[in-house]
Amino acid sequence: MSNKSMNDPLHPRPSRLASLAPQDEGEGARRSNTLEGEGQLRLSSPHGEVRNGAKRNEASNHEGAWLRFKRAKTLRKNFAYHGAGLAIALFFLAPLAVTLLASFRHGTEARQPAIPPWPTNGFSLDSYRSLDSFGAGVWQHTVNSLAVSLATVVLTVAVSLLAGYGFSRYRFPLKNVLFVLVIATLMIPFQSILTPLFIILAKLGLNNSLVGLTLVYVTLQLPFSVFMMRNAFDAVPKEIEEAARIDGARDLMLLVRVLLPLVLPGVATVAIFAFLNAWNEFLAALVLLSSNEKYTLPVLMMAVRAGRLGAINWGAVQAGVAVMTIPCLIVFLALQRYYMRGLMAGAVK
Amino acid sequence: MAETGVILKDIRKSFGNVDVIHGVNLAIKEGSFVVFVGPSGCGKSTLLRMIAGLEEVSDGEIEINGRDVTDLDPSERGIAMVFQSYALYPHMSVRENLAFGLKMARTGREEIEARVNSAASILKIDHLLDRRPGQLSGGQRQRVAIGRAIVRKPDVFLFDEPLSNLDAELRVSMRVEIARLHRELGNTMIYVTHDQTEAMTLADNIVVLRNGRIEQQGSPREVYENPANTFVAGFIGSPRMNLLDAKWIGNDHIELAGGKIASPLMAQRLQDGEKITFGIRPENLAVVENSGEAIPAKVDFAEYLGGTQYLYCQLDDGQPLVAEYRAGAPIEAGRRIGLSCAAADHRIFEASGARIR
Ligand SMILES: Nc1ncnc2c1ncn2[C@@H]1O[C@H](COP(=O)(O)OP(=O)(O)O)[C@@H](O)[C@H]1O
Ligand SMILES: [Mg+2]
């Protein structure tokens, strides 16, 4: 296999190593040429020439050894680096793997605490079936959760994009006061406003509705998101926007065609946070929703974890955790490239 | 008769209650290359941005080719602008950057293609069309920015210090390039810079600004040879004109550092004994033997530039003065020399700074 990849032009690393060898040879050949030249010049003292040549050969041998040593050193360093990385990755992946494996345990085995954490009697979907027997069925709750989370993401991104743009670019009276006020709401623990929120939603006829819940999530998500988007827009040079205005891009066109691609990292960050927070939120969902078929996944999980008649179905719990984890993983993996850049941009500017 | 070119009528601008531009009147002929020059913060960019429509005008009117554009959107004024920071769209390829304005104007696909290609070949950036701005060097980015202006086929090109971010060598070659572009395209160009060399080399017409006012306007030669006041005299030219404190002693004579210089003046507005500023350019001073007619001076140090030397001197009353010296023999520091100058090269200014002609 290694032989094959040595000849494969698509693998730059081995081929570079391979090209190192003839290059060394070439250098050696050149050296011996100059030696010959020197020898011709110094015909009168052949001894000196021989001694000189020997020294040179020794030197090039020494050089080769040094190169080999260095290569070995970098190899060892790479090995340590990747080894440590792998260990840390394992450490973080283990709980996920345990959950996923344990969720595939067989019938009665599944009801026991998960030790050892893998199926001993072969794989089965029993746990998922028993998870489905809770509430209005796992599909219904997953759809509820997805609807609320995605709606939260869309609304949060739309509002914070416009608000962030406004706070970054327009001048209006009390702008800074307003901005600080928006940020200050981050300091209010949301549990403390749950009761007023409940009353307001009831007045609006939005209690026990996923729309109402979405609005609450969007409200909770906005201060951070507006802050994030303002930073993102602040980092876009004003001249780019002005150039676009001269080019004839206006209003929404300007925002979508020119500015949105430039603040995409910020948007990704806002979207990830909005999704994860809405997806995992429990308390507001429990308080604001009252009918069984409206519950989101965290509320369902509560019911699953409480068990029936005191008996906890560990298999169903593991299956529920698996179901809850997968969308988060997908969203994060899909957006993480932008997300990291977004956090950096906010931090250093 | 409908006027062509750009006309500014009593333009004023204030940010909040800070007045930045105080009533600028200017007529720019179609097809000319006008340079706004002045020290940093004098309002050049603000003036240019008002012409572009990026900054609202507090008072006054702007006309482009006979059309009042004062309240028009930037895209409808028939202008294109090149920014100091290039301001390319980083997420688009060079081709998309060039085509963006045309797409916004709903130009046909073939037309866009043709215009982008012709602009690219004028600027020799054909081979870069599929790259992103991030993959280009500073000079290449500047070409793309200029290309983006060209494809719009504007009536007026606006440049805001387009060369300031380039290194010295590139700046010279891009300067030549821009001059060539003006010759080839023949559009009106308005160019902002704080670098008087750029202004002198590029302009048909220089507008010298200070603190939001026009100090002088004219061809580079006019502005250089006949500065309207001490500010323009000191700003245009490198090294700058020597501006020396002197006294009008009547009878066509000036007293300078204890000596007397004959300087015939047409307008005899001056009182005998009145303080004046005596201006003389370094290249108009000749080094002579220290005799009666010459101004005596001591050389502090000499700067050799190959072909020419600048002598940094001190007059007897301590005033500094720079003289250009082209003859071969080096002059060592500390030597006493005499300087003479032809009366035609004298520039006399009132104490307030205004020129006396
Ligand atoms: N948006 C602004 N708000 C307040 N003051 C400004 C603004 N833009 C420019 N100024 C002020 O106007 C003056 C002229 O600025 P500018 O036109 O950029 O100068 P220049 O381009 O000649 O260096 C400066 O004193 C600057 O502080
Ligand atoms: Mg400026």
Side-chain angles (χ1 to χ4, degrees):
Chain A
M1 185 254 151
S2 73
N3 248 346
K4 201 181 123 208
S5 68
M6 284 288 269
N7 298 329
D8 189 349
L10 287 177
H11 288 70
R13 267 176 70 96
S15 70
R16 200 180 50 186
L17 282 182
S19 75
L20 261 180
Q23 209 175 336
D24 278 355
E25 266 171 43
E27 215 163 284
R30 198 156 44 85
R31 255 189 216 127
S32 61
N33 269 343
T34 51
L35 268 185
E36 261 171 37
E38 272 172 34
Q40 273 162 7
L41 274 179
R42 290 186 194 163
L43 269 181
S44 54
S45 65
H47 287 295
E49 187 235 327
V50 169
R51 222 182 328 136
N52 226 341
K55 222 194 263 172
R56 288 290 185 97
N57 274 337
E58 205 175 279
S60 81
N61 269 345
H62 188 77
E63 217 165 89
W66 173 243
L67 254 176
R68 267 197 303 279
F69 173 68
K70 249 173 54 179
R71 232 174 274 164
K73 207 170 128 188
T74 48
L75 241 165
R76 231 177 307 150
K77 231 163 72 183
N78 272 344
F79 189 75
Y81 180 74
H82 287 117
L86 218 59
I88 293 172
L90 268 179
F91 201 71
F92 280 91
L93 279 175
L96 292 176
V98 166
T99 304
L100 208 62
L101 285 173
S103 71
F104 288 114
R105 279 146 51 108
H106 227 284
T108 47
E109 182 194 8
R111 292 173 180 275
Q112 309 303 313
I115 301 169
W118 51 81
T120 46
N121 291 337
F123 282 77
S124 99
L125 293 176
D126 287 354
S127 300
Y128 290 88
R129 271 183 218 110
S130 63
L131 176 69
D132 202 23
S133 68
F134 285 89
V138 73
W139 273 119
Q140 175 70 44
H141 297 296
T142 307
V143 167
N144 287 352
S145 262
L146 272 180
V148 169
S149 305
L150 291 180
T152 303
V153 167
V154 170
L155 277 177
T156 305
V157 165
V159 175
S160 67
L161 195 68
L162 297 174
Y165 180 72
F167 273 121
S168 170
R169 288 296 147 91
Y170 292 113
R171 297 212 236 167
F172 49 89
L174 296 183
K175 171 168 131 174
N176 285 329
V177 175
L178 207 62
F179 188 68
V180 169
L181 215 63
V182 170
I183 301 301
T185 58
L186 278 173
M187 290 187 289
I188 302 171
F190 103 96
Q191 290 84 349
S192 68
I193 56 166
L194 209 48
T195 317
L197 275 178
F198 182 81
I199 296 169
I200 292 171
L201 286 185
K203 285 256 154 72
L204 291 172
L206 287 174
N207 56 341
N208 190 28
S209 101
L210 294 178
V211 176
L213 189 65
T214 304
L215 290 181
V216 169
Y217 286 167
V218 172
T219 312
L220 295 178
Q221 205 54 45
L222 273 179
F224 163 78
S225 306
V226 170
F227 176 71
M228 196 70 217
M229 289 317 298
R230 181 199 170 142
N231 275 356
F233 278 110
D234 277 350
V236 175
K238 237 175 106 191
E239 282 89 1
I240 291 186
E241 197 180 328
E242 291 173 345
R245 275 172 62 201
I246 289 176
D247 269 344
R250 269 194 257 179
D251 309 328
L252 262 186
M253 193 62 105
L254 176 70
L255 196 62
V256 173
R257 296 287 295 272
V258 178
L259 295 177
L260 186 61
L262 301 180
V263 296
L264 213 53
V267 170
T269 310
V270 165
I272 288 184
F273 273 74
F275 184 87
L276 294 187
N277 285 347
W279 181 262
N280 291 322
E281 208 287 333
F282 166 69
L283 188 59
L286 183 69
V287 171
L288 299 176
L289 302 174
S290 48
S291 52
N292 202 0
E293 81 281 359
K294 295 254 169 85
Y295 285 155
T296 52
L297 278 176
V299 183
L300 172 77
M301 281 311 295
M302 188 62 189
V304 173
R305 213 184 56 123
R308 281 185 185 136
L309 308 170
I312 298 170
N313 185 340
W314 286 108
V317 171
Q318 306 287 20
V321 171
V323 168
M324 281 207 64
T325 308
I326 287 164
C328 299
L329 275 182
I330 292 175
V331 167
F332 187 79
L333 290 180
L335 298 182
Q336 58 131 0
R337 198 158 53 99
Y338 299 105
Y339 162 74
M340 292 315 290
R341 268 202 283 152
L343 282 191
M344 299 303 255
V348 259
K349 178 142 185 225
Chain B
M1 183 193 105
E3 301 261 7
T4 58
V6 181
I7 295 169
L8 308 183
K9 287 184 192 155
D10 201 25
I11 296 292
R12 286 167 199 280
K13 175 72 186 174
S14 30
F15 291 107
N17 43 20
V18 183
D19 293 341
V20 174
I21 305 287
H22 316 268
V24 164
N25 284 293
L26 190 63
I28 295 171
K29 271 211 306 266
E30 189 173 6
S32 65
F33 198 121
V34 175
V35 175
F36 293 171
V37 67
S40 200
C42 69
K44 310 176 296 281
S45 296
T46 306
L47 199 55
L48 194 75
R49 291 163 55 80
M50 284 194 287
I51 297 173
L54 296 172
E55 209 77 73
E56 269 181 39
V57 176
S58 303
D59 196 15
E61 259 177 44
I62 301 174
E63 243 177 54
I64 296 179
N65 285 355
R67 211 158 48 110
D68 182 353
V69 299
T70 316
D71 298 316
L72 284 187
D73 189 80
S75 61
E76 292 163 354
R77 295 185 174 206
I79 54 106
M81 185 152 167
V82 177
F83 296 84
Q84 177 179 350
S85 60
Y86 319 132
L88 301 176
Y89 311 122
H91 57 291
M92 298 183 196
S93 70
V94 168
R95 188 190 302 281
E96 288 163 338
N97 263 282
L98 296 184
F100 185 72
L102 299 177
K103 270 190 203 147
M104 288 294 116
R106 304 192 187 287
T107 313
R109 181 187 294 243
E110 285 105 51
E111 172 78 6
I112 292 181
E113 178 87 13
R115 283 213 222 169
V116 166
N117 286 339
S118 105
S121 69
I122 289 175
L123 293 164
K124 306 184 187 75
I125 49 173
D126 316 66
H127 58 297
L128 305 174
L129 281 176
D130 294 315
R131 294 208 202 158
R132 292 276 172 99
Q135 300 164 314
L136 304 179
S137 70
Q140 291 171 332
R141 281 181 214 185
Q142 193 54 269
R143 280 165 192 273
V144 176
I146 294 173
R148 190 170 61 181
I150 291 178
V151 293
R152 306 195 63 226
K153 296 204 173 157
D155 297 328
V156 182
F157 278 95
L158 307 174
F159 295 89
D160 191 353
E161 311 218 8
L163 307 183
S164 298
N165 283 357
L166 302 178
D167 60 52
E169 205 172 321
L170 210 52
R171 207 174 313 169
V172 174
S173 68
M174 278 308 283
R175 201 170 73 199
V176 174
E177 195 95 347
I178 289 176
R180 175 181 68 98
L181 210 62
H182 179 240
R183 262 200 325 276
E184 282 177 13
L185 301 175
N187 299 44
T188 312
M189 294 192 176
I190 305 178
Y191 187 106
V192 161
T193 180
H194 64 264
D195 178 350
Q196 54 91 23
T197 319
E198 260 173 45
M200 293 293 285
T201 49
L202 284 171
D204 300 332
N205 212 328
I206 290 186
V207 176
V208 184
L209 290 164
R210 175 168 63 158
N211 293 335
R213 289 194 176 82
I214 294 183
E215 293 286 327
Q216 190 175 358
Q217 176 196 354
S219 72
R221 189 171 285 277
E222 271 163 31
V223 172
Y224 185 79
E225 294 183 353
N226 276 311
N229 51 44
T230 47
F231 173 77
V232 177
F235 192 79
I236 301 289
S238 169
R240 59 197 296 259
M241 181 186 273
N242 297 297
L243 295 168
L244 305 164
D245 293 335
K247 203 154 73 182
W248 180 254
I249 50 176
N251 206 10
D252 283 353
H253 273 73
I254 290 169
E255 186 186 299
L256 176 67
K260 273 191 206 168
I261 305 171
S263 187
L265 272 183
M266 290 297 150
Q268 299 287 346
R269 282 184 285 153
L270 292 166
Q271 312 272 321
D272 289 0
E274 191 173 330
K275 278 203 163 60
I276 58 166
T277 301
F278 175 73
I280 182 79
R281 295 227 178 251
E283 70 265 28
N284 294 332
L285 283 165
V287 176
V288 294
E289 280 306 311
N290 217 341
S291 69
E293 276 296 289
I295 313 165
K298 190 172 81 122
V299 178
D300 275 342
F301 67 97
E303 219 174 48
Y304 180 69
L305 285 101
T308 187
Q309 275 185 86
Y310 290 124
L311 308 176
Y312 292 82
C313 311
Q314 237 181 49
L315 299 184
D316 285 347
D317 62 352
Q319 293 195 71
L321 171 146
V322 183
E324 188 177 342
Y325 178 57
R326 290 193 165 274
I331 291 188
E332 66 280 11
R335 211 176 105 184
R336 287 192 64 84
I337 55 172
L339 295 166
S340 80
C341 49
D345 296 327
H346 297 176
R347 301 290 178 264
I348 314 283
F349 305 90
E350 286 175 23
S352 67
R355 174 84 181 276
I356 305 166
R357 291 175 201 265

